Amino acid sequence: MFYRNSLRGAGALASISLLAGCGVFTDAEADGKGNVTVGTVSEPSTLDPAAAYDGSWELYRNVFQTLLSFPTGSTTPQPDAAECKFSDAANRTYTCELRKDLTFSNGEKLDARAVKHTVDRIRTINSKQGPQALLGSLASVETSGSRSVTFRLKVPDATFPFILATPALSLVPPGEYPADELRTDGKLTGSGPYVLKKYAKGDRAELGRNGSYKGFAQRRNDSVTIRYFKDSATMVKALEDRKIDVTYRGLSAPEVGKFQDGLPQHKNLRLVESVGADIRYLVFNAADPVAGKLAVRRAIAQLIDRGKLVRTVYRGTAEPLYSMVPKGIAGHTGQFFDVYGEPDRDKARKILEDAGIDEPVPLELWYATDRYGSSTEAEFAEIKKQLDTSGLFQVTVRGKPWAEFQKGYSAGQYPVFGRGWFPDFPDPDNFIAPFVGERNALNTPYRNAEITEKLLPQSRREVDRGAVARQFHRAQQLMAADVRLLPLWQGKLYIATTAEIGGAERALDPQTVMQVWELFRKGKW
């Protein structure tokens, strides 16, 4: 059985289109032909799904298939390569029956053996940058015949169908993906709507229709080119010059403002605004001699002025966030505001003094220079300014490209670093569970037994995901006391397109991952 749709109102994406001089497209206007070129500042870190728990999913969603998925408009998992259900009352046995005659683009059969191979290799390889943390409740994978797969869970886990629907579980052919090591030939083979015809790191990915695809996606174009940009300014210039048709991720707040102002160079360009569940937050390394001190973390939480941060840097394209669970998702609270209130230098100073910590406290803040848009640099400059101005901290800000940044925080080299989170699936569990425990998505151990051993297990017994608010409210009380993570803001997602492109309103799934098959080139405008 699938879930009651308790989060449909909370998790669904809403879109607003702004367009100079033109009307809004209808489905009937799609001719299903031609190439669409998409620009983004979010390039894959790897082509192997076993080593990616990041924005690489945006490519994966379009070239790989998953057992379940989130068709446009759905916030609960629906059949893709298989139909699945819990087959026991305890929510510990999950069975899937594959579609008939599925194949990968290389001709290999997509059968039960391939599904087991996909899941087992994620756990065997156990990449530090991989999605194995999502499979913590999985005990084993069993097959019966060529089409039946059974997942045995260690504990009840009502979120497991959501996990199977994420690109983390992108299905791969055993013949081209080794069981115990990553694929390193720079190629990609899946069974999704498109095939990767060409990939040039730092430049582009060329996608063409997969002739053997069997799934829910209705492709509205012949092919898609994804162009990768180092910064949003270059990406926007490419859109203005019609070198790309669509921008996805990374528009800075000033650039969004320019689109909204209707500048001459933006004539016949559209701006689509989506309600986002993406968040930004700081991560504190408990093993660091400075950030490992609770008083230091609490003093920072007492000083950060989120309202000023979003006004100064994001100009209405984000809003202050006082919870790791964002607004619109069950379990959201304002716990960090309840504990720390408005920014207060005197309270912060007393926290440090009571702990015997001398001021100013030297502190390093790190961020990814090429991951979350060009406003990130300005964001960290504003955080530094706020902390330095208090006289309680002496901050140094450092940035590195994403690949190096990942390695650095995974190795525990950064005292405090910034991360963004685009949800794996629209459920409060996905804003808490990935960040706690000995092994988590941040590779920065966060031990809190009440969260990991009591609250999360309790919530995962509840199939009605709208009924788990109590557990997540308590989890956030504990997180506000620990300040291992400090939520900063919740964003909106913007896509800009040329007037000739339709479908942008439908091109985002509940994970805010681009579904490029929804984009189409209109005929004569």
Side-chain angles (χ1 to χ4, degrees):
M1 63 180 177
F2 290 111
Y3 294 105
R4 288 173 52 191
N5 204 0
S6 58
L7 290 177
R8 180 169 294 277
L13 297 171
S15 296
I16 301 172
S17 293
L18 303 174
L19 176 61
C22 298
V24 176
F25 289 115
T26 65
D27 286 352
E29 293 175 298
D31 59 18
K33 297 180 180 179
N35 174 270
V36 175
T37 301
V38 178
T40 180
V41 298
S42 184
E43 183 179 2
S45 60
T46 174
L47 296 184
D48 192 327
Y53 196 177
D54 56 25
S56 304
W57 287 11
E58 293 159 12
L59 177 63
Y60 299 169
R61 175 58 80 201
N62 297 286
V63 294
F64 289 109
Q65 202 169 9
T66 45
L67 293 172
L68 304 172
S69 196
F70 293 104
T72 300
S74 172
T75 57
T76 54
Q78 303 296 324
D80 189 354
E83 292 193 3
C84 307
K85 64 180 181 180
F86 279 109
S87 53
D88 67 333
N91 293 340
R92 291 184 59 177
T93 305
Y94 198 67
T95 59
C96 294
E97 188 75 11
L98 289 163
R99 293 174 182 257
K100 293 181 179 179
D101 302 322
L102 289 176
T103 61
F104 292 100
S105 60
N106 67 347
E108 281 190 60
K109 289 183 179 180
L110 199 176
D111 55 13
R113 182 179 73 93
V115 174
K116 177 175 171 58
H117 174 83
T118 295
V119 179
D120 286 349
R121 74 184 294 266
I122 292 173
R123 304 169 77 198
T124 299
I125 294 171
N126 198 26
S127 167
K128 284 187 176 182
Q129 285 77 43
Q132 72 281 348
L134 287 172
L135 298 174
S137 64
L138 180 63
S140 64
V141 185
E142 301 170 5
T143 64
S144 176
S146 63
R147 294 174 53 207
S148 182
V149 183
T150 298
F151 298 92
R152 306 284 183 188
L153 307 182
K154 302 172 187 174
V155 293
D157 187 359
T159 71
F160 192 71
F162 287 86
I163 293 167
L164 292 183
T166 70
L169 276 296
S170 295
L171 301 172
V172 299
E176 296 198 19
Y177 288 81
D180 56 358
E181 61 184 12
L182 297 174
R183 183 175 182 176
T184 58
D185 63 0
K187 297 180 180 180
L188 180 158
T189 309
S191 61
Y194 298 89
V195 294
L196 181 63
K197 299 175 69 175
K198 181 180 179 181
Y199 179 73
K201 185 174 177 57
D203 182 23
R204 68 187 63 210
E206 300 281 357
L207 309 183
R209 284 195 181 204
N210 179 4
S212 61
Y213 172 66
K214 292 181 179 179
F216 71 89
Q218 299 297 312
R219 293 163 293 194
R220 301 182 176 192
N221 53 64
D222 288 330
S223 61
V224 176
T225 299
I226 303 176
R227 291 273 311 278
Y228 299 113
F229 294 89
K230 294 296 184 184
D231 59 79
S232 58
T234 307
M235 179 175 67
V236 171
K237 184 64 167 58
L239 181 70
E240 293 169 351
D241 294 342
R242 302 303 194 267
K243 293 180 180 178
I244 61 173
D245 303 305
V246 184
T247 70
Y248 177 63
R249 289 217 197 285
L251 287 180
S252 68
E255 287 159 351
V256 170
K258 290 176 182 178
F259 277 103
Q260 293 171 333
D261 292 342
L263 298 181
Q265 64 265 39
H266 294 160
K267 184 179 181 181
N268 291 339
L269 297 181
R270 306 168 65 217
L271 183 69
V272 178
E273 175 186 311
S274 294
V275 176
D278 61 304
I279 67 173
R280 297 293 186 275
Y281 56 97
L282 295 179
V283 184
F284 295 87
N285 182 356
D288 181 79
V290 176
K293 296 177 180 178
L294 179 60
V296 168
R297 303 196 299 270
R298 287 180 173 173
I300 293 171
Q302 190 66 69
L303 287 171
I304 295 292
D305 188 336
R306 295 169 177 81
K308 185 177 181 182
L309 176 66
V310 299
R311 286 194 308 272
T312 302
V313 179
Y314 291 101
R315 306 182 190 183
T317 62
E319 57 182 312
L321 181 64
Y322 298 92
S323 162
M324 287 300 290
V325 179
K327 292 181 180 178
I329 300 292
H332 169 77
T333 71
Q335 189 62 40
F336 276 83
F337 185 84
D338 294 343
V339 174
Y340 300 100
E342 296 290 348
D344 192 313
R345 179 190 180 279
D346 291 338
K347 288 182 179 179
R349 184 172 187 175
K350 188 173 189 309
I351 291 171
L352 295 174
E353 286 180 346
D354 288 350
I357 297 174
D358 295 330
E359 310 139 12
V361 178
L363 189 70
E364 278 192 0
L365 301 181
W366 287 81
Y367 71 97
T369 58
D370 58 351
R371 197 63 182 176
Y372 304 115
S374 57
S375 296
T376 307
E377 182 179 2
E379 174 181 344
F380 275 77
E382 174 61 26
I383 293 173
K384 169 180 166 59
K385 180 180 178 181
Q386 291 184 14
L387 296 178
D388 284 350
T389 301
S390 73
L392 304 178
F393 289 89
Q394 192 171 49
V395 176
T396 301
V397 174
R398 304 186 189 279
K400 284 189 175 181
W402 175 251
E404 296 178 55
F405 178 76
Q406 263 192 317
K407 293 177 182 177
Y409 74 70
S410 296
Q413 295 174 0
Y414 306 153
V416 187
F417 58 95
R419 282 294 307 266
W421 186 251
F422 296 91
D424 303 324
F425 48 85
D427 187 277
D429 186 283
N430 193 235
F431 292 90
I432 302 293
F435 310 124
V436 296
E438 186 68 30
R439 289 293 305 272
N440 58 46
L442 301 169
N443 288 298
T444 305
Y446 177 12
R447 305 171 187 89
N448 187 302
E450 184 175 352
I451 296 176
T452 57
E453 298 175 18
K454 179 181 177 182
L455 298 174
L456 289 176
Q458 284 179 354
S459 72
R460 289 171 177 173
R461 296 188 186 99
E462 181 58 67
V463 173
D464 182 355
R465 303 306 293 163
V468 295
R470 179 179 62 82
Q471 289 90 350
F472 288 103
H473 288 173
R474 173 58 181 160
Q476 289 176 90
Q477 288 177 343
L478 296 170
M479 295 175 91
D482 293 340
V483 202
R484 290 293 308 282
L485 305 163
L486 184 63
L488 296 174
W489 54 268
Q490 175 178 352
K492 301 173 185 178
L493 189 60
Y494 294 89
I495 298 174
T497 79
T498 62
E500 294 80 11
I501 298 298
E505 294 88 349
R506 295 174 53 85
L508 295 169
D509 73 2
Q511 302 153 297
T512 66
V513 174
M514 177 71 87
Q515 301 176 145
V516 298
W517 60 81
E518 294 285 2
L519 300 170
F520 63 87
R521 183 173 298 283
K522 190 180 182 296
K524 184 178 180 181
W525 179 250

